[in-house]
Amino acid sequence: MNILSIETSCDETAVSIVKVDGQFPDASYEVLGDALHSQIDIHAEYGGVFPALAKREHAKKLIPMLTKALEQAELLHEEASELPQEHVEMLHELLVHESESGMTEELITFFQTYEKPDVELIAVTSGPGLEPALWVGVNFAKALAEVWNIHVVPVNHMEGHVLASIFDVEEDDKLVQVGFPAVSLLISGGHTELLRMDNWGTYEKIGQTKDDAVGEAFDKVARMMGLPYPGGPEISRLAKLGRTANLPEYAALPRPMLHSGDLHFSFSGLKTAVRYAIDGKELGETDMQALARDFEDAAVEVLIKKTQKALDETGAQTLIIGGGVSASEFIRQSFHAHLLESHPDVEIYFPNPGLSTDNSIMIALSGHARSANASNPAAARLIKADGNRNIAE
Ligand code: KG4
Ligand code: ZN
């Protein structure tokens, strides 16, 4: 079965075609096509993602990404045909909010140019994320599903990150065999959470941030230091230089919530402490490196200690770390080093580097999980019947 997956929850417009062979969670997955457009350049001048702009960009880029992914998968075949009037009307109605971008007309042309591809299921991120951005993807998925007469399965973006982290691209394109209970630490620009998994598809949130997400803190601190968006990779790069040069401490930064006795996080105090440390000064090169290192050390120490506590409390056999911030080399090394000492029997999984940040391959994996669990017709009805109201966490 081929799954077409769509991701538009934040600032990446992504479409993939993934061939699935077998049942979840033992299936093998072959990525036939994968097209991703990053909006980073557009949002960089705002220092963060600007929702209305993200929505407009998704509307512009979805059809090019779809075409590219289908072409890579060798599933794009020309066949001129008329689109029935009822479909034309349905598209105008469904995509009324995207019409200003020209998306509706473009999609009608697409349907009139290409035959229905060999795709059996559409998976689309339905939340969490930026509402206007999510809508473009969901409505686009519904439009394709209506015209091609196939099902749509709504996917939770966070489950996508979990599955991306255990997708063994190098070995055999399967999900690794996870020992349960497992703990998942999701660290991205929008989320910082600890989940307990007792089985596939079951997630209990056991910890989360009370304010900023850790990626958001990286991005905001970077902005204060005059670094470009997204700040995570920039902070990591400078911190590494500061660490290698063994620079003296620039600022004694707090480890928020470290002794709160629970599994929750808070990063806004840490961010404020960095602001006070900068205190309006122009930082020199070594100051920047030392401060980036101090900040990264503080953030990572909290992430590790809370995760160790979660592992103790759950008796987990497996730790799955995912989300954009998990791309950080320092975070990977630190977790491996500390957990080797404290929890040597716990298996740790990080995503393949290309799958750390948002992508649509992870949405195909989650779509497969959901279609297997919920039987896809039911899931499809859910997204069709509920119209615009089923975007949920
Ligand atoms: O998962 P993601 O692509 O989008 C969300 O769902 O939010 O995560 C994006 C976040 C940004 O905050 C970015 O600064 C951070 O991931 N990030 C990093 C690194 N690469 C991306 N943070 C620290 N170190 C990195 N190497
Ligand atoms: Zn994400």
Side-chain angles (χ1 to χ4, degrees):
M1 157 169 87
N2 292 334
I3 298 183
L4 187 155
S5 55
I6 300 167
E7 157 65 36
T8 65
S9 69
C10 192
D11 59 350
E12 257 89 35
T13 315
V15 178
S16 305
I17 316 285
V18 177
K19 183 178 172 199
V20 182
D21 192 3
Q23 295 295 315
F24 186 87
D26 304 314
S28 22
Y29 300 93
E30 187 185 349
V31 180
L32 302 180
D34 184 38
L36 184 144
H37 168 74
S38 167
Q39 304 177 0
I40 281 177
D41 292 348
I42 295 166
H43 299 289
E45 62 179 292
Y46 301 94
V49 181
F50 197 69
L53 218 56
K55 171 196 142 107
R56 211 171 60 205
E57 241 344 79
H58 288 310
K60 260 200 244 163
K61 287 295 187 307
L62 269 169
I63 297 170
M65 292 303 109
L66 171 71
T67 312
K68 192 171 163 190
L70 285 171
E71 204 164 22
Q72 272 178 18
E74 296 181 5
L75 295 178
L76 191 68
H77 304 299
E78 282 193 29
E79 185 192 65
S81 65
E82 269 306 303
L83 196 62
Q85 190 54 29
E86 58 184 280
H87 279 161
V88 172
E89 280 166 23
M90 177 276 297
L91 291 174
H92 278 292
E93 211 176 300
L94 191 59
L95 302 174
V96 64
H97 299 297
E98 283 77 36
S99 56
E100 84 222 49
S101 66
M103 188 194 204
T104 319
E105 293 308 325
E106 233 184 291
L107 194 54
I108 291 170
T109 308
F110 175 89
F111 286 128
Q112 289 177 335
T113 311
Y114 301 106
E115 67 178 26
K116 175 185 165 183
D118 176 15
V119 165
E120 266 175 55
L121 182 69
I122 300 178
V124 61
T125 306
S126 65
L130 303 170
E131 285 253 338
L134 288 164
W135 279 126
V136 187
V138 169
N139 287 333
F140 184 67
K142 286 203 250 183
L144 296 179
E146 285 282 346
V147 174
W148 291 340
N149 194 26
I150 58 178
H151 292 301
V152 183
V153 60
V155 163
N156 182 298
H157 182 84
M158 305 317 284
E159 177 173 64
H161 276 302
V162 172
L163 297 180
S165 300
I166 51 172
F167 182 38
D168 202 341
V169 191
E170 267 136 41
E171 272 302 311
D172 47 9
D173 290 337
K174 285 179 162 218
L175 298 176
V176 296
Q177 290 303 313
V178 172
F180 293 106
V183 162
S184 180
L185 172 70
L186 296 180
I187 41 181
S188 72
H191 291 83
T192 303
E193 54 196 41
L194 278 162
L195 305 171
R196 178 197 169 109
M197 292 172 66
D198 282 316
N199 209 331
W200 292 105
T202 64
Y203 304 95
E204 183 196 347
K205 208 181 278 181
I206 52 177
Q208 62 184 318
T209 180
K210 292 186 178 298
D211 39 57
D212 292 351
V214 64
E216 191 181 354
F218 270 86
D219 294 339
K220 287 179 177 167
V221 163
R223 197 175 179 195
M224 286 178 216
M225 292 170 65
L227 299 167
Y229 174 85
E234 288 292 317
I235 296 273
S236 287
R237 184 180 62 78
L238 288 173
K240 188 174 180 183
L241 296 172
R243 217 167 271 125
T244 310
N246 206 11
L247 295 176
E249 181 181 81
Y250 182 83
L253 299 175
R255 270 65 175 156
M257 310 268 294
L258 198 58
H259 303 293
S260 61
D262 57 24
L263 297 172
H264 298 310
F265 302 90
S266 160
F267 289 101
S268 107
L270 176 57
K271 172 192 71 188
T272 309
V274 173
R275 177 173 291 125
Y276 283 131
I278 299 174
D279 193 27
K281 292 190 291 285
E282 275 277 329
L283 299 181
E285 193 58 29
T286 50
D287 291 343
M288 298 266 272
Q289 294 170 4
L291 181 57
R293 186 231 21 227
D294 295 345
F295 167 75
E296 196 176 46
D297 282 350
V300 173
E301 185 180 333
V302 178
L303 292 173
I304 291 178
K305 294 257 165 70
K306 293 281 179 174
T307 304
Q308 286 170 323
K309 187 170 167 57
L311 293 172
D312 289 340
E313 287 185 9
T314 56
Q317 303 179 33
T318 309
L319 173 62
I320 301 166
I321 305 183
V325 182
S326 72
S328 156
E329 205 188 307
F330 177 65
I331 289 188
R332 288 173 186 236
Q333 286 165 356
S334 305
F335 266 90
H336 280 296
H338 284 88
L339 269 67
L340 186 64
E341 297 246 314
S342 64
H343 297 81
D345 297 332
V346 172
E347 289 277 354
I348 310 176
Y349 296 103
F350 278 96
N352 192 276
L355 295 180
S356 308
T357 47
D358 290 349
N359 63 84
S360 46
I361 294 172
M362 70 186 200
I363 303 308
L365 299 175
S366 179
H368 187 228
R370 293 291 126 198
S371 68
N373 290 350
S375 86
N376 60 31
R381 268 200 301 279
L382 184 78
I383 204 163
K384 275 185 187 169
D386 253 14
N388 286 357
R389 275 174 291 111
N390 61 343
I391 287 201
E393 278 262 337

